[in-house]
Amino acid sequence: MRYVARRMGLFVLTLWAALTVNFLIPRLMPGDEATAVLSRMKGVNPAALHALQVEFGVNTDQNIVVTYLQYLGNCLTGQFGLTAARVPVMTDILDKLPWTLGLVGVTTVIAFAIGTMVGVVSAWRRGGRLDSILPPLLFIVSTLPVFFVALVLLYVFAVTLGWLPLASNYGLGSTPSLSLAFTWDVIVHAILPAATLIIVTAGSWIYTMRNNMVTTLAEDYVRMARAKGLPGWRIMIDYAARNAILPNLTGFAMQLGYVLGGSILVEYTFSYPGLGYLFYTGTTDHDLPLQSALFLVYTLAILICVLIADFASALLDPRTRDA
Amino acid sequence: MTTPAISPGASALIEGPAQRGPSASRRFAQAILRNRKATAGILILAVISFVAAFPGLFTNINPHAAIYDQQVGPSAQHLLGTTQVGEDVFSQLIWGTRLTLLITVVVSLAATVISILIGVTAAYVGGMADRSLSLLTDVFLVLPTLPLLIVLTAYLPSGSLTITAVMIATSWAFAARQLRAQGLSLRTRDFLEAAKVRGERSSYIIIVEILPNMISLLVASFLGLAVFVVGFAAGLQFLGLGNSTELTWGTMLYYSQQNGALEAGNAVWMLAPGAAVAVLGTGFALLNYAFDEIGNPALRPVRRRRVKPSA
């Protein structure tokens, strides 16, 4: 219970830190510079500019503590103001959220499953054919820059071979519906972005899982299980893999931060209209409210996953519960 | 006693009291040379460093001279073709090496230093300071780096200095946590007790007694950071968040993307700097992988197949 409480503490603290960073950055800049940034925003009329100046604490004589509390309250109730295009930020975000959630969620699960399984088997058959090829190869591949993998896939499969679409989340002619044709269209458009994310993340899962397994297989309880004459697959899964997977669960959240960051680059390269692409357009439009809100969304996503990973490792490993 | 959660690779990197002198370093050099991955990594980095130091030896074309045919593919005169305004891509690639490598090394070194300051201090001082520094590390570990960078670079003046500073500030946390774990396991060693009894100052103990014993983990942290930073810096510049007037592989990628090089049939312009980034990253990664194997004998490849225990 203390463990859970401590992790909740980290959750609240990090969220607060992210909120405060968002609040402070525009205020730490000299006032005229803030105005300059604000005025670079697309199509802002004087009245809207004044509203933004109030929002960012420029040219106002309001007490900073009062503004800060107001800001925290607004964030907690999901009021992030308007984007440069005068649409509520939340509407824009909720509109794009499913695409990123689908892309990142599915690829993370696939990469974790592939990576963990290959890692377990290659450590079990140490020095075998699978072990000497896949882990080193995929480790090197996983260190390639995300966008480079994306560009190569785009070049080979979309530009040169023309097998898969160049960009976007579904074809221009399609209208969103639950029909089979539309679902297929969405899947075809998602293949390259998803493949990129899987290629760059599976390797590190394999690497850590294999190394954890190698260490675990040398433990006395594994030798004990062998002495008892248990079948090989039971030792591999119930004795070794179950313990070796624990560090991977904790690494899960950290990996997710990397995947989310990578998904921004992937969505940009493939013009996939999810949150990452929205983030990118926010930088070109100097759309500050949108960017701040998106930063919070990404932080919150990671924090939730950290919590889930914590609960999962508490379930699997009794030792963490009273640590 | 607390059992710090360190990766199996890191735990094997703990050494006894610092072994100095030629024998230890020669043994280490031999281990590096005997490891094929390490040799390949060192070779890659040596070649890239050489190009960064003496770009003039490889090309006599000015990378900023927009005087050639525009958007043409590779030819004998222009090995990698030209850009949309008629600059030589090969020359840009060669001259862009310097700043790319410089940013990577500076960020990785500085982040390693910060992780030492925070991680090792937390482990050595302990108590309340440790708890607050660990919490700080955890918060930085969780904050999503790229989104934070995008938000920060939106307000700060664009340029390599901004990217460098912001990347340093956001990438130290993981190494700090590893160093803290390592530091905790060193804290109760006899030679540290001896130093304390001698009445040495904390700063002396940390710098002279603890750090030399962490040297392999420090190198591993640096290499791991470098792998990350190479791709990350290029990714930022690719998004257009760098200073697009400075010549790096990342800004080359930015321009080629902006001008639709892939679709315009001038793919080399985009793939060449991308491949260069990938090769540099691979160089650091190979060295890092080899380092894990040297530091942790359990992970070394086994030459012959083991006899199956069940058979």
Side-chain angles (χ1 to χ4, degrees):
Chain A
M1 219 41 238
R2 251 185 67 201
Y3 171 73
V4 171
R6 213 174 51 206
R7 298 308 291 185
M8 284 301 287
L10 176 70
F11 183 98
V12 174
L13 196 80
T14 313
L15 194 60
W16 171 77
L19 285 168
T20 309
V21 164
N22 257 345
F23 178 79
L24 284 181
I25 294 171
R27 287 174 176 78
L28 287 178
M29 289 192 343
D32 45 336
E33 229 176 295
T35 315
V37 171
L38 291 178
S39 59
R40 278 210 302 272
M41 286 181 64
K42 257 190 203 162
V44 176
N45 60 43
L49 183 66
H50 180 72
L52 279 167
Q53 284 173 337
V54 173
E55 205 171 306
F56 287 101
V58 188
N59 294 345
T60 52
D61 39 58
Q62 215 177 346
N63 186 331
I64 191 156
V65 179
V66 176
T67 346
Y68 182 55
L69 292 177
Q70 267 174 1
Y71 166 81
L72 286 184
N74 283 346
C75 288
L76 291 180
T77 48
Q79 292 165 309
F80 295 108
L82 303 174
T83 67
R86 307 285 92 198
V87 183
V89 169
M90 275 319 269
T91 319
D92 238 9
I93 289 180
L94 290 178
D95 199 34
K96 307 285 196 266
L97 183 68
W99 296 104
T100 297
L101 214 56
L103 187 67
V104 172
V106 170
T107 51
T108 307
V109 170
I110 294 178
F112 184 74
I114 294 178
T116 308
M117 276 189 299
V118 174
V120 166
V121 174
S122 70
W124 184 249
R125 300 254 162 97
R126 186 130 170 257
R129 207 172 303 157
L130 178 84
D131 184 41
S132 42
I133 298 172
L134 268 188
L137 181 77
L138 283 172
F139 179 73
I140 295 298
V141 169
S142 74
T143 57
L144 294 178
V146 182
F147 61 87
F148 178 65
V149 176
L151 286 174
V152 170
L153 290 183
L154 187 71
Y155 179 65
V156 174
F157 292 102
V159 177
T160 312
L161 296 171
W163 291 352
L164 292 163
L166 268 170
S168 193
N169 52 351
Y170 51 81
L172 272 177
S174 314
T175 37
S177 64
L178 278 175
S179 71
L180 212 59
F182 180 73
T183 315
W184 178 243
D185 199 32
V186 167
I187 291 176
V188 167
H189 279 80
I191 289 178
L192 285 182
T196 309
L197 285 174
I198 292 173
I199 287 173
V200 293
T201 49
S204 64
W205 290 124
I206 295 179
Y207 181 68
T208 49
M209 192 63 200
R210 177 186 175 274
N211 289 0
N212 293 339
M213 269 297 273
V214 167
T215 321
T216 316
L217 283 172
E219 296 278 354
D220 283 340
Y221 55 80
V222 173
R223 196 169 306 149
M224 172 74 180
R226 280 183 171 142
K228 281 198 288 190
L230 290 175
W233 62 268
R234 268 209 66 188
I235 305 175
M236 181 172 87
I237 292 170
D238 289 350
Y239 283 72
R242 184 177 164 173
N243 285 295
I245 206 171
L246 291 171
N248 254 19
L249 275 178
T250 0
F252 195 85
M254 236 141 30
Q255 182 78 341
L256 191 90
Y258 179 74
V259 178
L260 277 178
S263 75
I264 297 178
L265 291 164
V266 168
E267 287 182 11
Y268 168 63
T269 313
F270 291 102
S271 306
Y272 197 83
L275 289 184
Y277 195 69
L278 193 64
F279 218 151
Y280 166 72
T281 49
T283 63
T284 50
D285 298 347
H286 298 283
D287 195 336
L288 307 177
L290 182 64
Q291 287 180 308
S292 314
L294 277 170
F295 171 59
L296 286 183
V297 169
Y298 279 90
T299 311
L300 201 61
I302 291 179
L303 282 174
I304 291 171
C305 289
V306 171
L307 266 194
I308 294 175
D310 283 343
F311 288 139
S313 56
L315 266 180
L316 283 173
D317 184 2
R319 282 170 302 181
T320 48
R321 274 173 239 166
D322 41 43
Chain B
M1 207 186 99
T2 48
T3 27
I6 35 177
S7 75
S11 63
L13 294 171
I14 303 171
E15 292 143 16
Q19 297 166 317
R20 267 159 264 174
S23 72
S25 53
R26 200 182 311 143
R27 239 182 302 135
F28 184 71
Q30 273 174 352
I32 292 267
L33 286 179
R34 216 172 289 150
N35 190 307
R36 250 181 300 167
K37 293 186 192 93
T39 321
I42 286 180
L43 208 66
I44 291 176
L45 295 180
V47 169
I48 292 180
S49 309
F50 187 75
V51 173
F54 309 105
L57 292 180
F58 296 87
T59 176
N60 46 20
I61 298 177
N62 179 350
H64 294 296
I67 47 174
Y68 305 102
D69 292 339
Q70 293 164 3
Q71 284 266 38
V72 291
S75 63
Q77 202 206 344
H78 302 291
L79 289 176
L80 299 172
T82 58
T83 69
Q84 90 289 359
V85 292
E87 299 151 323
D88 183 64
V89 173
F90 179 72
S91 163
Q92 291 202 332
L93 193 71
I94 294 291
W95 284 95
T97 311
R98 191 176 277 172
L99 195 56
T100 309
L101 192 64
L102 191 70
I103 292 178
T104 307
V105 172
V106 167
V107 171
S108 311
L109 269 182
T112 309
V113 170
I114 295 181
S115 69
I116 293 173
L117 286 178
I118 294 192
V120 179
T121 311
Y124 181 76
V125 178
M128 198 55 209
D130 179 23
R131 271 196 295 276
S132 34
L133 286 177
S134 300
L135 198 60
L136 184 74
T137 312
D138 277 352
V139 168
F140 268 88
L141 210 53
V142 173
L143 282 180
T145 323
L146 188 59
L148 179 61
L149 276 173
I150 292 180
V151 172
L152 284 175
T153 42
Y155 293 95
L156 298 168
S158 74
S160 294
L161 205 64
T162 305
I163 285 205
T164 310
V166 174
M167 278 201 300
I168 292 170
T170 49
S171 55
W172 55 269
F174 184 65
R177 200 155 87 159
Q178 279 193 319
L179 290 175
R180 175 180 169 270
Q182 173 92 245
L184 279 180
S185 70
L186 279 175
R187 199 163 62 161
T188 49
R189 297 293 183 87
D190 289 341
F191 65 94
L192 286 187
E193 295 296 334
K196 270 182 231 167
V197 173
R198 286 205 310 271
E200 306 286 6
R201 272 174 294 128
S202 296
S203 56
Y204 174 89
I205 295 182
I206 290 179
I207 292 169
V208 180
E209 303 280 352
I210 298 185
L211 286 186
N213 284 295
M214 289 183 154
I215 201 82
S216 30
L217 184 61
L218 292 180
V219 176
S221 304
F222 171 79
L223 291 174
L225 271 165
V227 174
F228 171 74
V229 169
V230 171
F232 206 51
L236 282 176
Q237 290 156 347
F238 176 55
L239 283 174
L241 295 174
N243 182 346
S244 37
T245 59
E246 283 165 343
L247 190 56
T248 63
W249 294 339
T251 49
M252 288 176 71
L253 282 160
Y254 169 71
Y255 280 116
S256 58
Q257 165 86 358
Q258 290 299 310
N259 292 292
L262 278 189
E263 290 85 349
N266 194 9
V268 180
W269 179 18
M270 178 170 264
L271 296 178
V277 171
V279 169
L280 179 58
T282 306
F284 283 117
L286 280 169
L287 213 53
N288 194 17
Y289 198 91
F291 220 81
D292 247 11
E293 282 180 3
I294 293 168
N296 186 356
L299 298 177
R300 275 178 212 168
V302 272
R303 297 275 172 240
R304 62 196 155 71
R305 272 192 93 159
R306 275 196 188 159
V307 186
K308 270 194 190 157
S310 52

